[in-house]
Amino acid sequence: MGTDIGQLGRIFTSSSAYADPVAWHAAAERIRREQPVLRVTSERYPDFWAITTHADVLEVERHPDVFTNGPLPVITTKDRVAGAAEAPIKTLIQMDGAEHKTHRGIVNEWFKPGSVRRLQERVTELARQHVDRMATLGGECDFVNDVALHFPLHVILSILGLPESDYPRMLQLTQELFGPTDTDLGRGGDSALEVILDFVRYFTELTADRRATPTDDLASVIANARIDGAPIADLDTFGHYVIIATAGHDTTSSSIAAGLLALLQHPDQLALLQAEPDRIDQAADEIVRYTSPVKHFMRTCREPFELHGVTIQPGDLLYLSYASANRDETVFADPHRLDVTRQNAGNHLGFGFGQHFCLGVHLARMEIRTMFRELLPRLRHVELAGEPTWIHANFVQGPKSIPIRYDLV
Ligand code: HEM
């Protein structure tokens, strides 16, 4: 007798479940087959519907007026639900409707393909620096901690315009915010608010500085934004800094780290990209599909809605499982295989869809492509030098450590 399907629903909340990706995907596959809109009940978390197929996640994303991001965009334990709804700082992911449109409009221009292309030279320079550093490490390193964690952070902080001396502090804060259920990385307990307050202290100073002396960096765009003709409120500037500094970091580093691990586990695909580096651009989307570093976002239902034969009621919570949708066998043939030539890889939902579609998508793709274009052709040999480990988290998640042995040109 197999595990009861209701019990399987814990894979969506349990941080340790995500740390065993093979078992996680086997469970999700069964849920997609047997009960794709699954009611999940537990002691720690409010009840929710897990939405697991590609078509259903898309359907929910297509109805932002019925399914709102606020007040709970991310799974939250029962004891923290009230606090989360009253959080003093609101970011894009907590906003809906006109408020979301106004705030997204402030930063949208900066992240459009044309603007992002201007950054290519700097991104290449940073990627090369990180690969050069790998070359000095004596042929062995932990790819997560020595490379993947630092490169995207340096890109984000460099476009925000922060000095390099502040990078280590930002690295620590973003890890604390996104890994709070992981014993090694998080502060434990009710730490999210504390970490956000640390950001506030840092960015208050930054805003004052960019208002006094605007430059052409992203921090200046945020600090000097106007809403309905009036200067943006300080609290709103923090919301923008927090979401960009955090959403732009662990997501991309997890894609790069989990991407290299996936290539090591699919040596034919690694060999193909090394032999034909022109395929790397297309491979970036397959890497995001396969690794899905953002595991979920939540929605709250506002009016009765039929989904896959289930009536979702106002007030019900929905858990959009991007990780499951991206392995949906009805959309992606042989979904558990990394296939860098997959023609429809771009249909993945790893960046979401619709009004909240990832703001940083063009930058993220550029970073993944640039890192692998710099790294793969220089790797004469690469292999695992130990067991990789995974972060215990249920929101943004990926490898915690990937020991590798390599020979770099
Ligand atoms: C591979 C890396 C990344 C992945 C997998 C990823 C994934 C996502 C996902 C799934 C969403 C929610 C979409 C939805 O609700 O439909 C999102 C939103 C967002 N992402 Fe990304 N992201 C990545 C990189 C970045 C980068 C580099 C930045 C910025 C520098 C960024 C900034 C944002 C922001 C600001 C939002 C909120 C948008 C809104 O609510 O309107 N992301 N991302």
Side-chain angles (χ1 to χ4, degrees):
M1 260 211 1
T3 315
D4 175 63
I5 190 94
Q7 289 294 313
L8 275 192
R10 69 176 184 277
I11 64 164
F12 300 109
T13 51
S14 159
S15 304
S16 51
Y18 279 110
D20 184 351
V22 173
W24 193 95
H25 281 294
E29 189 174 324
R30 195 181 141 202
I31 294 170
R32 278 196 301 281
R33 198 172 49 238
E34 294 181 20
Q35 226 160 298
V37 176
L38 176 70
R39 188 74 176 158
V40 180
T41 57
S42 69
E43 291 218 338
R44 275 193 85 205
Y45 292 90
D47 297 355
F48 60 85
W49 297 103
I51 313 299
T52 59
T53 70
H54 189 277
D56 289 344
V57 170
L58 211 51
E59 179 74 353
V60 172
E61 297 255 30
R62 281 194 170 122
H63 292 89
D65 295 336
V66 179
F67 301 108
T68 57
N69 271 44
L72 271 192
V74 174
I75 189 81
T76 307
T77 50
K78 281 179 186 169
D79 54 323
R80 293 205 202 154
V81 166
E86 289 158 14
I89 297 174
K90 246 182 160 183
T91 72
L92 286 178
I93 62 165
Q94 275 112 0
M95 295 177 188
D96 290 290
E99 182 186 30
H100 174 256
K101 202 167 170 222
T102 302
H103 279 275
R104 186 151 169 146
I106 292 172
V107 276
N108 215 27
E109 199 57 40
W110 183 273
F111 285 99
K112 282 191 171 160
S115 319
V116 167
R117 261 196 299 275
R118 285 185 291 129
L119 307 170
Q120 179 68 66
E121 209 177 308
R122 174 73 178 139
V123 171
T124 304
E125 183 182 283
L126 285 169
R128 200 164 293 158
Q129 272 174 19
H130 283 80
V131 179
D132 285 346
R133 200 175 149 259
M134 252 177 99
T136 66
L137 295 177
E140 278 202 29
C141 78
D142 174 356
F143 187 70
V144 178
N145 289 294
D146 292 324
V147 183
L149 269 181
H150 302 276
F151 163 63
L153 184 72
H154 287 198
V155 173
I156 284 293
L157 301 184
S158 126
I159 66 173
L160 272 172
L162 308 188
E164 276 193 39
S165 52
D166 291 353
Y167 291 5
R169 185 160 169 218
M170 285 294 125
L171 174 65
Q172 195 192 348
L173 285 176
T174 52
Q175 283 186 311
E176 285 174 344
L177 199 65
F178 273 134
T181 47
D182 192 284
T183 41
D184 290 353
L185 300 176
R187 289 188 195 184
D190 283 340
S191 64
L193 186 61
E194 225 178 87
V195 178
I196 288 176
L197 289 175
D198 274 355
F199 270 104
V200 168
R201 275 176 221 119
Y202 181 89
F203 284 110
T204 307
E205 221 171 283
L206 183 69
T207 301
D209 183 76
R210 294 304 191 275
R211 283 183 178 155
T213 328
T215 65
D216 62 355
D217 60 22
L218 181 55
S220 297
V221 172
I222 295 170
N224 297 292
R226 301 182 81 81
I227 296 179
D228 297 331
I232 185 171
D234 277 357
L235 270 184
D236 291 337
T237 64
F238 302 139
H240 282 284
Y241 294 133
V242 167
I243 194 69
I244 288 166
T246 53
H249 177 213
D250 279 20
T251 50
T252 318
S253 61
S254 281
S255 315
I256 291 171
L260 182 72
L261 182 57
L263 288 169
L264 290 170
Q265 291 164 340
H266 296 78
D268 59 325
Q269 301 296 295
L270 174 61
L272 181 60
L273 293 185
Q274 289 190 291
E276 299 175 32
D278 285 349
R279 291 186 180 274
I280 290 175
D281 282 3
Q282 193 197 339
D285 269 299
E286 172 66 353
I287 285 174
V288 176
R289 180 196 75 82
Y290 188 83
T291 62
S292 294
V294 175
K295 302 302 169 192
H296 83 275
F297 266 105
M298 302 291 287
R299 297 291 189 265
T300 300
C301 181
R302 299 297 166 185
E303 54 189 73
F305 194 95
E306 275 298 299
L307 190 66
H308 220 124
V310 173
T311 307
I312 314 287
Q313 299 290 351
D316 284 1
L317 294 171
L318 292 89
Y319 180 109
L320 306 185
S321 178
Y322 300 122
S324 171
N326 283 343
R327 300 283 182 105
D328 185 333
E329 40 291 289
T330 65
V331 177
F332 304 108
D334 200 1
H336 305 303
R337 179 175 153 68
L338 180 83
D339 174 1
V340 297
T341 66
R342 190 184 290 279
Q343 288 304 314
N344 71 344
N347 294 346
H348 72 79
L349 296 173
F351 291 119
F353 186 84
Q355 291 192 350
H356 288 271
F357 184 60
C358 177
L359 177 73
V361 61
H362 304 295
L363 180 61
R365 284 196 183 115
M366 178 193 278
E367 289 182 59
I368 298 167
R369 290 168 177 168
T370 309
M371 175 48 85
F372 285 120
R373 264 195 250 126
E374 289 300 315
L375 176 63
L376 299 186
R378 285 178 65 182
L379 276 176
R380 264 196 301 244
H381 173 76
V382 58
E383 63 181 17
L384 282 174
E387 240 347 88
T389 57
W390 294 84
I391 294 170
H392 288 224
N394 57 22
F395 176 34
V396 179
Q397 189 263 358
K400 186 169 172 178
S401 152
I402 309 178
I404 52 170
R405 196 172 298 121
Y406 51 90
D407 184 6
L408 258 180
V409 190

